[in-house]
Amino acid sequence: SRYGTLGADLVLELSRLSPLPFTTMGGIKKAHLRDLFLRGVKTVAMVTEISLAPDVAGRVRELMEEIRSGTAGAADMPDAETE
């Protein structure tokens, strides 16, 4: 992209400066989720990690479990099968 990769540190720094909610998107993979949510990210958007999976429903379940493992409020997370 024209602006390059921001990285988790800069995204979190920017989030502290803005009163507005935002979604973290672009190149996010399953391996990034736990760290992002443990560091305070509230929302992510994933496209190719889901759309290119051979078993989309299975991949969404895996991703939701990974997100739950990185969030303190896991009970507040919606169930992947009801979304």
Side-chain angles (χ1 to χ4, degrees), residues 7 14 26-27 29 34 36 39 42 44-45 47 49 53 60-63 65 67 69-70 72 74 76 79 83:
L14 293 171
K29 305 297 180 212
R34 188 176 304 207
L36 288 170
R39 295 172 81 182
K42 304 282 188 244
V44 295
V47 178
E49 182 72 358
V60 169
R61 283 190 295 276
E62 290 174 15
L63 295 169
E65 185 58 38
I67 290 168
S69 71
D76 299 331
D79 184 40
E83 280 291 294

Side-chain angles (χ1 to χ4, degrees), residues 50-51 53-64 80-81:
I50 295 169
S51 64
D55 174 8
V56 170
R59 189 58 168 174
V60 169
R61 283 190 295 276
E62 290 174 15
L63 295 169
M64 292 299 293
E81 293 181 26

Side-chain angles (χ1 to χ4, degrees), residues 1-76:
S1 96
R2 150 178 159 185
Y3 299 106
T5 302
L6 294 180
D9 291 333
L10 185 53
V11 167
L12 293 172
E13 182 180 335
L14 293 171
S15 74
R16 288 188 287 274
L17 298 174
S18 174
L20 303 173
F22 65 92
T23 299
T24 307
M25 183 175 185
I28 297 173
K29 305 297 180 212
K30 180 182 176 185
H32 302 124
L33 291 175
R34 188 176 304 207
D35 183 52
L36 288 170
F37 280 91
L38 284 172
R39 295 172 81 182
V41 167
K42 304 282 188 244
T43 308
V44 295
M46 302 173 86
V47 178
T48 57
E49 182 72 358
I50 295 169
S51 64
L52 296 181
D55 174 8
V56 170
R59 189 58 168 174
V60 169
R61 283 190 295 276
E62 290 174 15
L63 295 169
M64 292 299 293
E65 185 58 38
E66 190 68 14
I67 290 168
R68 286 186 185 100
S69 71
T71 59
D76 299 331

